[in-house]
Amino acid sequence: MSDLPKVRWGIIATGLISSWFVEDLVFDWPEKKVEHVVQAIGSSNLEKGQAFAKKHCPKQSPSVYSSYEEVYRDADVDIVYIGTPHGVHYRDCMAAISAGKNILCEKAFTLNAKQSQEVFNAAREKNVYVAEAMWLRHRPLFTELRRLLHEEKIIGDVFRVFADFALGIDVATRPSTSRYRDLNLGAGSLLDIGVYSLTWTRMALTGNGSDQSEKPRIVAAQSHEAGIEETTSAILQYPSTGRQGIVTSTTKAPGSPGQVFAVIHGTNGYVEVEGRMPSAPESFTVWKRPQGNPDHALFPREQCQGKKYDFPPLGRGFVYEAEHTALDILERRKESRTMPWAETIYMMEIMDEIRRQGNTVYPGE
């Protein structure tokens, strides 16, 4: 038996993202500080839930329910992981909070900042923990790059960032009930994948994200097909520093595994970030300007000082997020140290403005 403290999870929904998260909950790695127990699984179909449990956590024996509400009522569940489409996150968060449950809810946290604020207000009243599951921010690569950029100033002063997320999804051929087609489920590239481009840009331009006082100026455009936003481009500029970020996302073009998806420019060099996709980075390379003052503006790679930092995958990459969240629960925190409420609101407000300029509206807004 493990001597580690236990945190018991309830899993809401049995789709792909929930399967990945559960596989990492039961993943055994030597540095973990918490024993994660899959206590309960909620599905719209009992047989589907049982098959999910058998496949993804075969060494555990969770209770399987045919409704989410039964998970919320399970007294043995310490925290609920919500893996439903973001269009129903507000509904599911409010129901879990009403039952007094702690929550880790997938990104994008809700459809807009207003919904997010209402969820946090309800959580405050019920005195429960709520956090947005932005797994990227928990990754060691992300935190180390942030430290190098803003503490060591490894490329001098950052002044520009480009970040892109491209997925090849033929939205037009998806059924109307698909989360890629149904506006009620939050269909669109920005909330689904563009939030990662925005997260890279936010970190590179502003550091640890603890300061929400300055909002960037935003110029944005979005393109739609069949009423669904499929491509987003936005420029963010922070007035106090002049730093600019170019944020793009699309579901119309596939990305290439191992490709560079983010470039961060500083006064003394630049950084290229690469990996399977922007949500699952695997390495970054720091390129420093050559010494002296060459007459030409382009510097061949062989003249630059390049250093690559590799971060081999651990599980599917959710282990860090699960571990940090469980430690928050054990310490009786009500907000995540990595993704506090104010930061979720900040990011949602930026996406609200991008959607306003891009004419993307969801039902009920």
Side-chain angles (χ1 to χ4, degrees), residues 171-226:
V171 174
T173 63
R174 299 284 174 137
S176 60
T177 55
S178 167
R179 72 180 185 90
Y180 296 108
R181 284 284 303 276
D182 190 346
L183 287 174
N184 291 294
L185 298 180
S189 82
L190 176 62
L191 295 187
D192 191 24
I193 58 177
V195 64
Y196 290 111
S197 302
L198 184 60
T199 298
W200 284 108
T201 301
R202 165 75 163 149
M203 180 275 286
L205 294 182
T206 65
N208 60 17
S210 61
D211 181 11
Q212 290 90 22
S213 61
E214 184 180 20
K215 295 293 193 301
R217 296 173 180 150
I218 299 171
V219 178
Q222 295 182 306
S223 299
H224 304 75
E225 288 190 21

Side-chain angles (χ1 to χ4, degrees), residues 101-314:
K101 282 290 186 265
N102 299 309
I103 298 169
L104 177 66
C105 179
E106 264 305 329
K107 62 82 209 162
F109 188 66
T110 56
L111 289 179
N112 52 51
K114 179 177 181 293
Q115 287 185 345
S116 295
Q117 189 63 66
E118 290 178 5
V119 169
F120 295 141
N121 290 343
R124 185 178 294 107
E125 291 180 8
K126 275 287 190 175
N127 196 33
V128 296
Y129 176 95
V130 175
E132 180 180 8
M134 174 47 79
W135 64 324
L136 174 59
R137 294 192 183 225
H138 295 265
R139 288 173 173 267
L141 181 153
F142 190 87
T143 55
E144 175 62 6
L145 178 55
R146 180 177 59 198
R147 186 189 70 80
L148 290 173
L149 289 174
H150 298 288
E151 293 181 23
E152 292 197 11
K153 302 283 188 178
I154 196 166
I155 57 170
D157 292 327
V158 173
F159 64 87
R160 191 178 81 131
V161 181
F162 170 76
D164 176 59
F165 200 147
L167 279 181
I169 299 169
D170 192 353
V171 174
T173 63
R174 299 284 174 137
S176 60
T177 55
S178 167
R179 72 180 185 90
Y180 296 108
R181 284 284 303 276
D182 190 346
L183 287 174
N184 291 294
L185 298 180
S189 82
L190 176 62
L191 295 187
D192 191 24
I193 58 177
V195 64
Y196 290 111
S197 302
L198 184 60
T199 298
W200 284 108
T201 301
R202 165 75 163 149
M203 180 275 286
L205 294 182
T206 65
N208 60 17
S210 61
D211 181 11
Q212 290 90 22
S213 61
E214 184 180 20
K215 295 293 193 301
R217 296 173 180 150
I218 299 171
V219 178
Q222 295 182 306
S223 299
H224 304 75
E225 288 190 21
I228 306 300
E229 176 264 306
E230 289 189 323
T231 301
T232 288
S233 299
I235 299 174
L236 281 61
Q237 185 207 38
Y238 283 84
S240 66
T241 61
R243 293 175 175 176
Q244 296 185 14
I246 303 169
V247 176
T248 57
S249 62
T250 185
T251 53
K252 290 177 66 66
S256 300
Q259 70 176 350
V260 173
F261 54 76
V263 180
I264 304 165
H265 289 106
T267 52
N268 292 327
Y270 64 97
V271 175
E272 293 178 326
V273 190
E274 58 195 7
R276 286 173 293 161
M277 58 185 66
S279 57
E282 295 177 353
S283 64
F284 62 85
T285 303
V286 177
W287 297 96
K288 293 191 176 182
R289 292 172 61 95
Q291 297 297 317
N293 185 25
D295 293 333
H296 49 80
L298 299 178
F299 307 115
R301 287 286 176 93
E302 58 268 20
Q303 295 183 12
C304 297
Q305 300 175 18
K307 182 177 180 181
K308 187 174 184 179
Y309 296 74
D310 288 304
F311 291 79
L314 180 64

Side-chain angles (χ1 to χ4, degrees), residues 86-95 109-110 115-116 118-119:
H86 39 261
V88 294
H89 284 172
Y90 175 81
R91 176 201 70 188
D92 296 335
C93 282
M94 295 300 274
F109 188 66
T110 56
Q115 287 185 345
S116 295
E118 290 178 5
V119 169

